[in-house]
Structure formats: structure tokens, C-alpha cells
Amino acid sequence: MAEAHQAVAFQFTVTPEGIDLQLSHQALTEIYLSVLRSWKKRLIRLKNSVITGVYPASPSSWLFVVIAILATMYTRSDPSMGLIAKIQEHLPVSHSLSAQCQTVLSAVLFSTMLWLSLIFTMRMCLKQLLSYHRWMFEPRGKMTNTTKVWLVCTPIISLTMCSHNYTLRRCSVSKRVSLQYLESVQPLKNPEEFERMTSLAANFESCLGNRLQWYLKLKALWASNYVSDWWEEYIYLRGRGPIMVNSNYYGMDFLYVTPTPLQAARAGNTLHAAFMYRRKLNKEESRVPGTVIPLCAAQCERIFNTTRTPGEETDSVQHWQDSDYVAVYHRGRYFRLRMYSAGRLLSPREVESQVQKILDDPSSPSPGEEKLGALTAGDRIPWAKARKEYFSSGLNKRSLDCIEKAAFFVTLDDDEQGMMGEDPAASLDRYAKSLLHGKCYDRWFDKSFSVVIYKNGKNGLNAEHSWADAPVVAHLWEYVLATDSFQLGYNEEGHCKGEVDSSLARPQRLSWDIPPECQEKIAQSLSIAQALADDVDFHVFSFRDFGKGMIKKFRISPDAFIQLVLQLAYYRDRGAFCLTYEASMTRLFREGRTETVRSCSNESCANIFVCVDHQGAEVCRRLLRQASEKHQSLYRHAMTGAGIDRHLFCLYVVSKYLGVESPFLNEVLSEPWRLSTSQTPVQQVELFDLVNHPEYVSCGGGFGPVADDGYGVSYSIVGENMINFHISCKHSCPQTDSHKYGGLIRQALLDLQLLFCPDQKDPSKADLRQTKKDM
């Protein structure tokens, strides 16, 4: 209990001789340094707020304007054209100041107003500059003069992480989305069904639609984004089912490399790198997550110190300004691991030493502690009730607060994962399932993200979805992986570099008092979560026959090509088309999140029909390019705020607020997405040298199936010759099989390649055997 005594700054005892006061100088020093660090962070936040508030000017530019105006006045000229004199006449303190002081004060006031006017004007110009989206729709190699001027102007804008958010345009409300909707579902419905939907859409447009649209435009006038708050609340926070598998997603480690086999050492570098990223965020030193085009960084504010809190009707997202520790789970016990000592961030070697102390701790879990995390994996209402009844006061509340207020959550897993063993394909599948749900109780699924460190040094993360989308977490994870391997590194024995301060206090073990009634609720949540986890069928594989480099030679968008492959594979699997979801970001707008690309179109279906019917190669190539161009058009419209699904969703929410029913909206919002897809692009290519270190590639990440009878497919295009796929579905559906669908994807890729490379050799027998095995 030494760490408990060190946490007490002073203690006193009453004796017959009086009061005996004992001070702990070490504890007082820690308190002083903690307060000092807290004030430093407050000053940094104040500085960032000032810089962001006056962007695109700088605080020093105000002084420059004041000096320029005063210097001009002393040359006997009036740059204000009489305004300074007018201000001087109306000064409320004119009688108590000399004439010279009045003149100087009036000049300063005029300079300030001029400076603010310039800031407003520059912001308007920047807003127009960043609102220009026509460059997306211009044919390759045919750039207009307007776009050329725009390309010259955009890179010279100096942007920090959040400074440009005020200059981003608000997302406008779309018009007549029903026509676009009808076009998207035409290939999925027979003539009678399509005629019925056309009638419903026309009736909606002529009657209720205009009224709902008016309310939506009214919200768009005052809200930063008319979609995002409703999307977060109704799609994520009001869901009462488990967020494990259904909402959370995961990210993997390097595919072929494990930088160190030591669990504690990998944790040391990983945790230190994550806090380095947080420090860059706090100082707004990180470049905006975009290259030439800045994207909204509002979601980045809640990466750390954030948790999802359960409620009986709706959950909430809580964010704290600062946290100097992480919560760690190992063998059924919870620990508090401080990442700062004497006001400085612990070195990777020191973090490794602290983690090793946790690994070596022989203590046993207290009753109910081992599987406590299952409450976050099960249904939300039982968790909300249990939290209110058993964790709202006393010892349990203090320990729960420690977990929820941590910078993030860490699991030291006793299993070994990664691509290994005699069957590396099956090991990747197990790796994915482990990151997605683990044992259903050894992750804290409510935290913004949880880092998992495996016994063999492999790592990964699991992220909660309500507070941000995958590209934000992927940006963090890319930085962590690259910093771990290329910047921090390890010594010859596999340990972190640096020295250890032997005076560091041990990690604090969290204590719990969980009664039998609560343990029963934990068991109930675990049974629900375990059934859900056991039902998940996962398949992860890397396609290395060709990649982005060859697809570009076909003069086809790589993303469009893969989307057509997924639909061709699905048609071969089920003999029909389905409503297909592809996530597109809308962070070109203020507080934008995502929009849906309905990638199953008339053009894509026509292309698949001719491919299945083995018509001429020239016809297939022509229709494939048409389908690709259509997909690119849909994607560009979604990115620039002209998508339809978020708009339809908001119209539905307004109708519920008004208490009116719309048969059209009810049917649209109830249609299942049997093929839900998402690309995980590599955002910081400069961090990874794939030419000299091709083995340092991540396998990306994935998510669970959206529909009970459908597939969830995440894919990442790595370098020029690799495409990684993460396929999920449910064992309980007899129509879905992730391995079979993976084999069909592989075959569809090879078939479309042969359209453009007819002289390409047939796949080797080994490849064919692998395809049959996958099927």
C-alpha cells in the first residue's frame, strides 16, 4: 500500500501532547507539479482560443495595424477619413483625458475596428475559397483556369488543426431528393414495386415534403450542421442494443512485422506515442487531416478523455479537458497507470517498466471484477440501471470514474494474435474477432478507443463510433504505428530505449465492492454479448495479385473498381442485387461526418449482367467504365453535400417531432443495407516508407455486419499492389458465409483483370485451390 500512502499530502494524529502533523514532501511536490501542469494546459488552450478566434489574422497583426494608423496620423494625414474624430467626439471619458490621449485612444479603437473588419473580410474570402468544389467534377487532364487559380491559392493558407473550422461552409439542405432516391432503387425493384414507390414519392413531394423541408431549412440557418447532432443522437446514442459488434470497429497492427515480441515494451512505445499525438492535438501543432484540401477537425477534439455514458432512454458522450493516466485491464483486474511524473511525460522505457509491474502483479480479481466490462458489451438499459444502482456512489463510483475519465483504455491480453502458425489465413480471422469483441468482458467498449496489447507484442485498437468516424481514429493509429517503429524504436533485446526513474510509484490497483445482485446482471450482459460475438463470422485476407497501380492503368477509379467487384461477387453469391452502402466523408463542411454513396446503380447492374452472361470483352469494358464514372459522380456528390440519405433521415426526424406519418419516409428508412462497405485509406503516406520497408504495412480495420442477412466489408488499398479485405456476416444466417464471399471477391477481381489484360496468365493452381477453399 505504499502508493496509497504517497498519495496523502499530510496526516495528523491527536495525542495528549497536542496535534502531531506530518507532511509528505513528495506528495506536496506532486500536487504542486500537477497544478502547474494543469495551468500550463489552460494557458495553451487560452492561447489556441485566441489564435483560432482571430484567424486568419494573428494577435501580432493587431499591433501592426495600430502602429501603422498612429504613424500615418503623425504624418498629418487621416486614414480614417474623419472616423477617428467622430469616435473622439463620443468618447465617454473625454473630460478626464488630455486631447492627445483622446486622439491616441480613438486611433486605437479605429484600428481595432479596422482589424476586425479585415478579419471578417478575409474569413469570407476563405469561406468562398474553401467552398469551391467544382474541381472534383472536372475530367482528368482538363482543368479550368478557375481551378488552376484555386489550386495556387489553397496551399498557401496557413492552417492549424482547428483554426480553419470557422471558414468552412455549412452544409446546405438538398433539393428534390426523391428523384435521386427513385433512380437509386430502380434496379432493385420490379416494375410494380417501383411504380408504387414513384407514387409514394410524388405524393410526399406535393404534400408533406415541402413542410418538412421548410423546418429543415430553418434548422440549417442556425445550426453548424443540420445533420450531425441528430445523426449522433438517433443513429448511435439512442440505440438500446449492444454497441459491441453492432457499432464499434477495430484497427490492426502491421501485417508482416511485430517490432518487438515483448508485451510490456510494445505497450511502452504505443502508449507514449499516443500521448505524443495528444500533445500535438492540444497545441494544435498537427496538420489538418488533409493534404491540399482542409477538412473539419471538430471530431479530433474528443479523441482522448472521452467516454460514452449509458442512459435508460439515450446515452451521452462525456469529454473531459485533461487526463494524465490510462486505465489498464489485465487478468480480470483494473489499474490506474499515470503517464506523467513531476510534470513530464514518462519515457517509453518508464512506461514499459510500469506495465511490467502490472504483468507481474500476482493479486487476484475481487468478486465481480473480472467480467465487469461485460456491462459495456451488453444491452444499454441494463447497464444504465446497474450503473445508477451500484456505481453512483462510494468506492465503485470512484473506480468507475477512474476508468471513464482516463485518456483511453488499455487491455493487456494474454492471448497471442497476428498472422502466424501453420494457417495464417485463419489466424487473421481470429485476430479480427479478438479486436472486434475480445472475450466480451476484457475491453471497455464505452471508451472513445481501447488499445489492445497481446502477449506476443502484437497490438490493435477497438473504437466506439458515436463520437467520431473511422478516418479520425485511423489518423491517430497511423501516427502511433509509425512513431512506435520509426521514431522511438527498440534496443537489441527488444526493450524500449531510455532510462527508468526508480522512484516512480507503482500503478494503482482499482478497488470494487460488487454485490451478488450486480454480479448476476454482469452475467446476464455477458451471455447476451457472448451470443452476439459467437454469431459473428469473419474473414480477413490480402489480395496481392495486383492493386491500385494496375487498376489506374485501366483508366478506372480504384474505389469504383472495388465497389463493382463487391457487387459482382454478391450477385454471384445471391443471384440478385441489393441496396449497397458505401461511407463517404462530408468533412469539407463544418462539423460534417458522413454521407451514403448508393453504389448499386443502373450502370453497375448493367455491367454485372454482361459480365455474368459472358458477353464480348469490349462491351464489358465499355459498361465497366460507364459504371465507374457513375460511381465517381455519386461519390463526389456525396462529398459535396448533394447526397440523399442524410437529408431523408433528417426529414424523417422532423416528421417524428411534428407527429406526422409519411409512408414514403417510413419505407425508405426501413430498407436494409445488405452490403455495407467502407474504404480505410492511408492518410499519412509520408510516415511510411513502403519502398524501402514494404513489410511495414497495416492490414487496416473492419466492423461487424449491419444487416442480419448481409455483409460488412471494409477494404484498404495499400501501396500499388495490395488490397486488404475485412468481411463480416452472421453464422445464424444460412445465406451468408464470409469465406465463400471472400473467395467470390477474389475471383471477381481476377475476372475483371482479364477484361483489360486478356494475355494475363491464368491464376496458378495454388491460387485456384485457395479460391476453392475460401468458397
Side-chain angles (χ1 to χ4, degrees):
M1 295 298 291
E3 67 277 4
H5 290 294
Q6 290 174 359
V8 181
F10 67 92
Q11 57 183 344
F12 67 90
T13 57
V14 180
T15 66
E17 290 78 18
I19 298 176
D20 182 17
L21 181 64
Q22 297 179 356
L23 297 177
S24 171
H25 294 286
Q26 181 180 356
L28 288 174
T29 302
E30 288 292 335
I31 292 174
Y32 165 74
L33 293 173
S34 178
V35 171
L36 185 63
R37 175 176 170 272
S38 177
W39 276 101
K40 283 183 179 179
K41 290 183 70 68
R42 290 183 184 181
L43 290 175
I44 290 174
R45 284 196 292 268
L46 177 62
K47 173 190 171 185
N48 291 339
S49 297
V50 172
I51 293 175
T52 301
V54 301
Y55 180 82
S58 63
S60 59
S61 64
W62 173 82
L63 185 61
F64 175 81
V65 174
V66 171
I67 293 174
I69 295 296
L70 290 175
T72 307
M73 290 182 63
Y74 279 105
T75 61
R76 303 292 183 181
S77 60
D78 184 8
S80 69
M81 294 180 291
L83 286 177
I84 293 179
K86 288 288 186 182
I87 295 173
Q88 187 172 347
E89 291 177 8
H90 295 85
L91 280 178
V93 292
S94 57
H95 299 292
S96 59
L97 297 175
S98 64
Q100 186 175 9
C101 288
Q102 292 179 38
T103 303
V104 172
L105 181 58
S106 301
V108 171
L109 290 174
F110 171 76
S111 302
T112 302
M113 290 188 292
L114 177 62
W115 181 64
L116 293 174
S117 300
L118 290 173
I119 290 176
F120 178 79
T121 303
M122 292 171 67
R123 280 191 177 182
M124 291 299 101
C125 294
L126 278 177
K127 186 173 290 189
Q128 292 301 315
L129 183 66
L130 298 179
S131 298
Y132 180 75
H133 299 148
R134 282 173 50 194
W135 59 272
M136 288 191 191
F137 299 91
E138 293 179 355
R140 185 181 296 272
K142 297 181 180 180
M143 191 181 299
T144 63
N145 292 331
T146 305
T147 300
K148 291 178 181 177
V149 173
W150 176 81
L151 278 175
V152 172
C153 295
T154 302
I156 65 176
I157 304 171
S158 177
L159 297 173
T160 60
M161 182 62 77
C162 299
S163 61
H164 66 288
N165 284 356
Y166 295 109
T167 62
L168 292 176
R169 197 180 77 183
R170 296 180 181 183
C171 187
S172 57
V173 180
S174 305
K175 300 178 181 179
R176 297 187 65 81
V177 294
S178 60
L179 295 180
Q180 295 171 265
Y181 166 78
L182 290 173
E183 182 185 357
S184 71
V185 299
Q186 186 175 8
L188 308 176
K189 297 183 179 295
N190 59 43
E192 293 78 14
E193 292 175 334
F194 183 72
E195 184 65 29
R196 185 179 63 84
M197 284 304 301
T198 302
S199 176
L200 288 176
N203 185 61
F204 173 77
E205 287 277 1
S206 61
C207 300
L208 184 60
N210 291 330
R211 180 186 173 193
L212 301 181
Q213 184 83 341
W214 186 87
Y215 279 101
L216 214 52
K217 288 181 178 179
L218 189 63
K219 184 189 177 185
L221 291 176
W222 58 266
S224 298
N225 190 294
Y226 79 94
V227 178
S228 295
D229 57 340
W230 284 349
W231 186 254
E232 179 177 307
E233 178 180 359
Y234 292 105
I235 297 301
Y236 296 113
L237 298 180
R238 282 187 179 265
R240 301 295 79 197
I243 61 175
M244 183 198 75
V245 174
N246 294 328
S247 178
N248 287 29
Y249 54 94
Y250 67 87
M252 281 186 169
D253 192 7
F254 295 120
L255 184 59
Y256 302 112
V257 174
T258 304
T260 177
L262 303 180
Q263 185 177 20
R266 192 70 195 279
N269 270 7
T270 300
L271 301 190
H272 184 85
F275 273 81
M276 287 175 62
Y277 187 86
R278 190 181 75 162
R279 185 162 55 191
K280 292 170 72 70
L281 280 183
N282 290 339
K283 294 183 178 181
E284 296 193 10
E285 293 176 349
S286 293
R287 173 68 181 171
V288 177
T291 50
V292 178
I293 315 302
L295 307 177
C296 181
Q299 296 179 51
C300 299
E301 298 171 4
R302 298 192 290 182
I303 294 179
F304 297 93
N305 328 319
T306 301
T307 194
R308 174 172 175 163
T309 304
E312 294 189 28
E313 292 186 3
T314 181
D315 293 355
S316 60
V317 176
Q318 289 186 289
H319 173 72
W320 291 268
Q321 290 295 335
D322 188 27
S323 180
D324 64 352
Y325 67 92
V326 294
V328 181
Y329 178 92
H330 177 243
R331 292 184 181 174
R333 305 153 307 163
Y334 291 87
F335 296 84
R336 175 176 180 159
L337 172 57
R338 291 193 176 275
M339 294 293 295
Y340 284 84
S341 175
R344 65 173 180 84
L345 178 64
L346 297 185
S347 69
R349 187 69 181 89
E350 290 172 328
V351 179
E352 177 188 352
S353 174
Q354 295 292 81
V355 171
Q356 190 62 51
K357 292 176 183 177
I358 295 176
L359 294 173
D360 296 338
D361 191 315
S363 61
S364 301
S366 60
E369 180 182 13
E370 180 180 10
K371 299 179 180 179
L372 175 63
L375 289 172
T376 68
D379 291 329
R380 304 305 291 174
I381 294 178
W383 171 210
K385 291 181 178 179
R387 188 178 190 274
K388 183 178 180 180
E389 185 173 356
Y390 304 109
F391 299 91
S392 59
S393 63
L395 180 65
N396 288 345
K397 183 181 188 304
R398 291 194 294 272
S399 295
L400 180 61
D401 284 347
C402 185
I403 294 175
E404 294 184 335
K405 294 180 180 180
F408 53 91
F409 192 79
V410 180
T411 295
L412 301 176
D413 203 309
D414 279 340
D415 294 336
E416 295 186 357
Q417 297 292 350
M419 190 170 67
M420 58 187 184
E422 298 180 357
D423 191 351
S427 67
L428 272 182
D429 299 344
R430 291 192 297 269
Y431 183 23
K433 281 179 66 66
S434 176
L435 288 173
L436 185 64
H437 54 68
K439 298 180 179 70
C440 301
Y441 58 80
D442 56 349
R443 319 278 189 260
W444 200 267
F445 294 100
D446 286 351
K447 284 301 290 182
S448 54
F449 69 96
S450 299
V451 174
V452 184
I453 311 292
Y454 293 100
K455 187 177 181 179
N456 60 340
K458 219 61 178 173
N459 69 6
L461 90 165
N462 180 288
E464 201 276 317
H465 208 328
S466 65
W467 62 274
D469 300 306
V472 175
V473 178
H475 195 268
L476 157 70
W477 195 237
E478 287 174 7
Y479 178 89
V480 169
L481 290 179
T483 304
D484 169 21
S485 298
F486 301 117
Q487 184 175 336
L488 300 176
Y490 303 88
N491 62 24
E492 294 179 356
E493 291 78 25
H495 292 284
C496 297
K497 298 176 181 178
E499 301 297 328
V500 180
D501 182 359
S502 59
S503 65
L504 292 175
R506 293 179 62 86
Q508 178 187 354
R509 170 80 186 274
L510 301 186
S511 300
W512 307 89
D513 181 15
I514 302 175
E517 298 82 7
C518 183
Q519 295 179 36
E520 184 179 345
K521 294 183 181 297
I522 293 173
Q524 292 172 356
S525 292
L526 179 59
S527 64
I528 292 173
Q530 193 65 60
L532 178 60
D534 292 342
D535 195 26
V536 174
D537 179 20
F538 233 104
H539 182 44
V540 180
F541 71 93
S542 291
F543 181 82
R544 295 183 291 272
D545 292 68
F546 65 90
K548 177 177 65 176
M550 180 175 288
I551 297 173
K552 284 185 175 181
K553 293 179 182 179
F554 303 158
R555 292 183 290 117
I556 292 177
S557 159
D559 182 70
F561 185 88
I562 295 175
Q563 283 292 321
L564 291 169
V565 163
L566 296 178
Q567 291 178 52
L568 175 58
Y570 186 89
Y571 186 84
R572 286 173 171 174
D573 181 34
R574 305 286 282 271
F577 299 107
C578 71
L579 200 59
T580 305
Y581 179 110
E582 181 185 7
S584 165
M585 67 90 184
T586 55
R587 291 167 62 203
L588 293 171
F589 300 96
R590 195 187 305 179
E591 296 185 14
R593 291 199 58 163
T594 60
E595 177 57 277
T596 302
V597 180
R598 293 176 169 243
S599 51
C600 182
S601 61
N602 287 313
E603 289 79 1
S604 68
C605 293
N607 169 68
I608 290 170
F609 276 135
V610 298
C611 289
V612 172
D613 293 341
H614 303 289
Q615 297 185 20
E618 185 59 37
V619 177
C620 291
R621 286 193 291 268
R622 176 172 56 81
L623 291 179
L624 182 60
R625 289 198 173 97
Q626 289 180 1
S628 171
E629 291 171 2
K630 177 63 175 181
H631 180 268
Q632 285 183 280
S633 176
L634 292 171
Y635 203 101
R636 290 162 180 163
H637 278 89
M639 286 183 64
T640 54
I644 63 172
D645 282 277
R646 300 301 177 269
H647 187 188
L648 289 169
F649 161 75
C650 288
L651 291 174
Y652 179 79
V653 173
V654 173
S655 71
K656 292 302 178 183
Y657 274 126
L658 296 178
V660 295
E661 289 293 325
S662 168
F664 173 70
L665 291 177
N666 289 340
E667 185 153 345
V668 169
L669 271 295
S670 64
E671 293 173 334
W673 299 96
R674 291 191 173 90
L675 188 54
S676 181
T677 70
S678 179
Q679 182 188 171
T680 307
V682 179
Q683 303 172 69
Q684 302 167 92
V685 182
E686 69 278 2
L687 297 180
F688 302 92
D689 185 1
L690 297 182
V691 176
N692 297 319
H693 302 283
E695 70 277 11
Y696 282 89
V697 294
S698 172
C699 198
F703 53 90
V706 174
D708 291 338
D709 58 347
Y711 292 102
V713 182
S714 173
Y715 55 94
S716 58
I717 303 172
V718 184
E720 298 295 310
N721 300 297
M722 179 184 287
I723 307 172
N724 296 319
F725 291 91
H726 300 246
I727 307 166
S728 64
C729 62
K730 292 191 175 182
H731 289 295
S732 57
C733 178
Q735 297 176 303
T736 57
D737 184 326
S738 65
H739 290 77
K740 176 184 177 183
Y741 188 53
L744 291 170
I745 290 174
R746 190 190 303 272
Q747 190 59 51
L749 283 164
L750 297 173
D751 290 345
L752 292 188
Q753 178 197 24
L754 289 175
L755 286 177
F756 295 91
C757 304
D759 297 331
Q760 187 79 17
K761 292 183 179 180
D762 291 337
S764 65
K765 294 181 179 179
D767 287 336
L768 286 174
R769 285 197 300 268
Q770 180 65 41
T771 300
K772 292 178 181 178
K773 182 180 179 181
D774 289 340
M775 295 177 64

